[in-house]
Amino acid sequence: MEKALPESVQGPYLSGQLSPHEWQQLFELTPLGIGIFDREFRCRYANEAFAGFSGLPIAELLGSKLSDISPSQAPLINQQAGQAAFRPSSIGALHPHKIGHGHAICSPMQDEHGAPDGLLVIVHDFARASDQHITPIGLQGTASRQFEQLCQAQARLHHLAYHDALTSLGNRSLLQERLELELKTAQLNQQKFALLFIDLDGFKQINDTLGHRAGDQLLRLLAERIRRCLGQRDLAVRLGGDEFLVLLPCMDRQPTLTVLVEQLQLSLHAPAELGHDRVTPSASIGIALYPDHGQSPDRLISAASNAMREAKRRGRNGYLFYSHRMAEQMRERMVLEQGLLKAMEQQQFRVLYQPMADLANNRLSGLEALLRWQHPSEGMISPARFIPVAEQCGLIEQIGEWVMRTACQQGQRWLAQGLTVPRLSVNVSVREMQSPDYVERVTAILAETGFPAERLEIEVTESIIQSVDQSLRLFTRLKALGVQIAIDDFGTGFSSLSLLKSLPIDRIKIDRTFVQALPDDKHSRELCRTIVHLADSLGMAVTAEGIETQSQRQFLQSLRCEEGQGYLFSHPLSKSHLATKLTPHCSALC
């Protein structure tokens, strides 16, 4: 929710005020030359009349110093450069100077907090005014007050044009102008500068939970925290939503920059009171340097944005400098994302099936459906490479639903042919299960394919069970359908006994990294022994993944582990190659 315009510019019928459009016309049509200069006496705004007096086009005026436009102002600028602060008193006493063929009157400007914010220069041709009976504004009496009101109105309009209405930070227009100016300055002086891209973590959840008013309050609070961390020449802007950019001129020393970034993160991470609620915000920050990471505004912003996204992907509440390797990864991710869309359209995905075996007699005890991408030019692409991209770009729900439907359809065909399918396992991502209609989609697939719910096993990772209440509701609904639930890659997450005993879980699958070190590695032996005993005490079955040798199988069997999966029994197979292993007479796997 954005703020409305200030009352002074809300409409032409409130206290006789003019609209922003009318003010803009006034400044463009007035015979007065109007120039706005920042605290370093660089031109931020000039109308056509000012350009006419100076003899320079507006494009050249913007960013130029007042001393270059009017050499008579050089003593003023040299005097001010040596002062610690920009004091209006020293400027307000100026006598008129010449700019081109016009007379210039200088007046200090203030921001909305009353702090010095720059210089207003008004230029007028007195001789021409006399000929046309125009009273020069800004000299004395009533005319002086009118002139001051005009200056104040222009300052408000300028602020609205270059600042964010919600936070009062700069906006995109101000960023673009300052970036172009800093690029020219850095090129001339062979200096570096830094650009920080800041994105709040979990801001949408705060908006959804506490409301947009609280979200706006948090944005204003964090914008002020950013402002307090910055120096006089630094610029902070709000791009929109919960995204901010910070421009840091003259950043030649990376240690100094790192200290500033860490101060920013600490400040942003401090608790915030939002009405009756207390939140602890955090942010991910991407850093780009000129000229190392880009030599144009667009490239620098893109580099900082990419670094921020990578910082967020690595765990949030961190910062990261852009690297060219990161650019390669982003390009690969983009290619994969576009390829995934085409793969769905052109049916490039394949489902393979890997058998699971009873360790006591080597007989088939189940099948796991495994997704593969048969790329037309790259060949078979591993799911470890494309599944994370599918999750990030939002395609995983569509792909996951296709895998489950395809596997259930094939399982029902085998059953209809009289073949043995004891159990069919399908991997499901956390993002899929977090969809509010996930159980309904599973129900629809079972009804559509006719595959028995009691023979379907859904494999989930440990991360889904960290939220016990949510997982309990979800698992209870799935169990009501008759579906079995297995925890995949067990031992790599952070599950605790209290979590496991609270949830209706049927099976634990020991991760292959522990199985492959058997039987020689002591830690792997003890971990596998503990998992098997834990599962037995909770009434859960155990499957050991990644079994490749007889010694691994024999050790697991000695622990009374019932089921195994791995190359010792079978590689993943296509549906046609698997058919012979499903017949009742040929169900021994090795």
Side-chain angles (χ1 to χ4, degrees):
M1 296 173 63
E2 301 288 344
K3 279 187 175 178
L5 291 174
E7 292 182 0
S8 59
V9 292
Q10 281 184 357
Y13 306 112
L14 298 179
S15 303
Q17 300 297 328
L18 298 179
S19 70
H21 177 67
E22 290 169 324
W23 278 118
Q24 192 65 37
Q25 289 187 81
L26 174 62
F27 288 116
E28 294 302 330
L29 298 177
T30 180
L32 295 170
I34 301 176
I36 306 289
F37 292 80
D38 64 16
R39 296 167 62 90
E40 296 175 4
F41 302 98
R42 295 185 184 276
C43 184
R44 296 191 304 183
Y45 168 87
N47 65 0
E48 290 292 343
F50 190 95
F53 283 113
S54 69
L56 297 173
I58 291 180
E60 291 186 25
L61 284 172
L62 296 178
S64 297
K65 278 207 152 188
L66 182 56
S67 59
D68 297 328
I69 300 170
S70 174
S72 65
Q73 304 288 352
L76 159 71
I77 296 174
N78 292 335
Q79 176 188 359
Q80 282 300 120
Q83 296 178 0
F86 192 99
R87 290 192 289 271
S89 58
S90 61
I91 298 175
L94 288 177
H95 297 291
H97 293 268
K98 294 281 290 184
I99 289 186
H101 59 274
H103 294 263
I105 299 174
C106 303
S107 178
M109 293 176 56
Q110 296 178 337
D111 62 19
E112 67 274 20
H113 304 296
D117 195 37
L119 188 68
L120 176 68
V121 179
I122 301 292
V123 187
H124 197 279
D125 187 341
F126 291 102
R128 179 172 172 269
S130 177
D131 292 341
Q132 299 181 9
H133 305 288
I134 299 173
T135 302
I137 298 177
L139 296 180
Q140 52 187 294
T142 303
S144 178
R145 290 192 296 273
Q146 292 174 347
F147 171 73
E148 184 179 353
Q149 292 172 358
L150 181 67
C151 295
Q152 292 172 352
Q154 172 64 12
R156 287 196 296 270
L157 281 175
H158 185 274
H159 186 82
L160 288 172
Y162 285 93
H163 292 79
D164 173 57
L166 178 66
T167 63
S168 291
L169 295 181
N171 60 14
R172 289 176 182 269
S173 298
L174 183 57
L175 173 69
Q176 192 69 23
E177 289 191 10
R178 275 292 305 274
L179 257 181
E180 291 174 356
L181 178 61
E182 291 301 336
L183 279 167
K184 293 176 183 177
T185 304
Q187 289 168 358
L188 288 173
N189 299 327
Q190 295 184 338
Q191 294 174 329
K192 288 187 177 183
F193 66 84
L195 194 64
L196 313 184
F197 199 114
I198 304 174
D199 186 86
L200 304 184
D201 300 326
F203 178 72
K204 184 179 183 299
Q205 184 177 358
I206 292 174
N207 253 347
D208 293 344
T209 304
L210 304 181
H212 288 277
R213 186 183 297 274
D216 287 353
Q217 182 183 350
L218 180 62
L219 289 174
R220 287 192 293 269
L221 174 64
L222 297 184
E224 183 58 30
R225 291 182 181 180
I226 293 173
R227 197 189 337 254
R228 289 175 183 171
C229 291
L230 303 183
Q232 194 174 43
R233 289 194 58 198
D234 303 334
L235 172 68
V237 305
R238 178 184 174 223
L239 291 182
D242 60 341
E243 294 180 340
F244 301 87
L245 267 176
V246 173
L247 175 61
L248 303 171
C250 301
M251 271 293 173
D252 290 324
R253 297 175 59 191
Q254 185 165 316
T256 304
L257 175 58
T258 302
V259 169
L260 174 58
V261 173
E262 290 176 351
Q263 288 175 346
L264 263 172
Q265 283 217 295
L266 283 173
S267 178
L268 292 172
H269 196 44
E273 303 291 341
L274 304 178
H276 299 294
D277 298 292
R278 181 183 175 92
V279 300
T280 303
S282 67
S284 299
I285 302 178
I287 308 166
L289 300 174
Y290 170 86
D292 307 44
H293 305 144
Q295 299 184 29
S296 70
D298 289 344
R299 286 189 176 275
L300 285 167
I301 293 173
S302 176
S305 174
N306 289 339
M308 178 277 296
R309 284 197 291 269
E310 183 63 19
K312 194 175 288 286
R313 190 187 69 81
R314 294 187 183 185
R316 303 186 174 191
N317 194 32
Y319 65 89
L320 203 61
F321 282 85
Y322 177 81
S323 70
H324 294 292
R325 172 60 184 151
M326 194 181 299
E328 295 172 6
Q329 292 172 341
M330 293 297 295
R331 279 194 293 270
E332 180 183 5
R333 199 170 299 162
M334 183 181 68
V335 170
L336 281 175
E337 182 176 333
Q338 297 301 314
L340 284 170
L341 292 168
K342 187 176 291 186
M344 291 294 297
E345 296 172 0
Q346 300 181 358
Q347 300 181 348
Q348 296 173 6
F349 290 124
R350 303 285 183 270
V351 177
L352 302 182
Y353 301 89
Q354 186 172 28
M356 290 173 273
D358 188 322
L359 293 182
N361 53 30
N362 293 335
R363 299 186 72 85
L364 178 73
S365 56
L367 299 171
E368 181 178 358
L370 301 171
L371 176 65
R372 297 292 185 266
W373 180 3
Q374 185 65 54
H375 195 278
S377 59
E378 294 190 34
M380 197 73 77
I381 299 180
S382 166
R385 184 178 165 197
F386 69 82
I387 288 296
V389 178
E391 290 180 331
Q392 291 168 12
C393 68
L395 285 174
I396 192 64
E397 291 92 342
Q398 187 178 356
I399 294 173
E401 186 172 344
W402 178 85
V403 172
M404 181 170 287
R405 178 176 289 104
T406 300
C408 288
Q409 284 174 342
Q410 185 57 53
Q412 182 58 26
R413 289 193 194 101
W414 283 325
L415 290 175
Q417 295 170 13
L419 302 179
T420 304
V421 184
R423 188 176 82 255
L424 180 61
S425 297
V426 178
N427 290 279
V428 178
S429 75
V430 172
R431 182 160 178 172
E432 285 181 83
M433 300 195 81
Q434 288 175 339
S435 176
D437 65 342
Y438 178 72
V439 176
E440 286 73 18
R441 283 192 279 138
V442 174
T443 304
I445 289 173
L446 291 171
E448 175 188 333
T449 62
F451 189 72
E454 64 273 11
R455 300 199 186 197
L456 176 63
E457 182 178 75
I458 292 178
E459 292 190 15
V460 298
T461 59
E462 286 183 80
S463 58
I464 189 73
I465 65 176
Q466 300 307 308
S467 176
V468 177
D469 293 339
Q470 182 180 356
S471 299
L472 179 59
R473 289 192 296 269
L474 177 63
F475 289 178
T476 300
R477 293 180 65 195
L478 288 171
K479 293 292 293 179
L481 298 178
V483 172
Q484 299 180 57
I485 298 172
I487 303 299
D488 195 17
D489 301 330
F490 189 82
T492 59
F494 302 96
S495 295
S496 66
L497 296 179
S498 60
L499 291 178
L500 289 176
K501 72 179 182 180
S502 303
L503 299 171
I505 297 169
D506 300 286
R507 181 177 301 275
I508 292 176
K509 300 189 76 172
I510 305 175
D511 187 69
R512 67 181 63 249
T513 56
F514 306 122
V515 173
Q516 289 175 347
L518 296 176
D520 301 325
D521 183 71
K522 176 183 178 182
H523 295 292
S524 295
R525 290 199 306 268
E526 292 306 313
L527 182 60
C528 289
R529 191 189 313 275
T530 300
I531 293 174
V532 172
H533 290 170
L534 168 66
D536 182 62
S537 65
L538 296 175
M540 301 175 187
V542 179
T543 300
E545 299 180 292
I547 300 177
E548 297 182 1
T549 67
Q550 284 292 350
S551 59
Q552 292 169 351
R553 171 187 165 277
Q554 290 168 359
F555 177 79
L556 288 163
Q557 191 176 1
S558 72
L559 299 180
R560 304 177 75 175
C561 176
E562 303 99 336
E563 187 177 69
Q565 180 180 2
Y567 292 168
L568 177 65
F569 308 106
S570 176
H571 285 69
L573 302 172
S574 65
K575 59 185 180 183
S576 57
H577 286 95
L578 187 62
T580 56
K581 296 183 179 293
L582 299 180
T583 59
H585 302 294
C586 303
S587 56
L589 295 173
C590 63

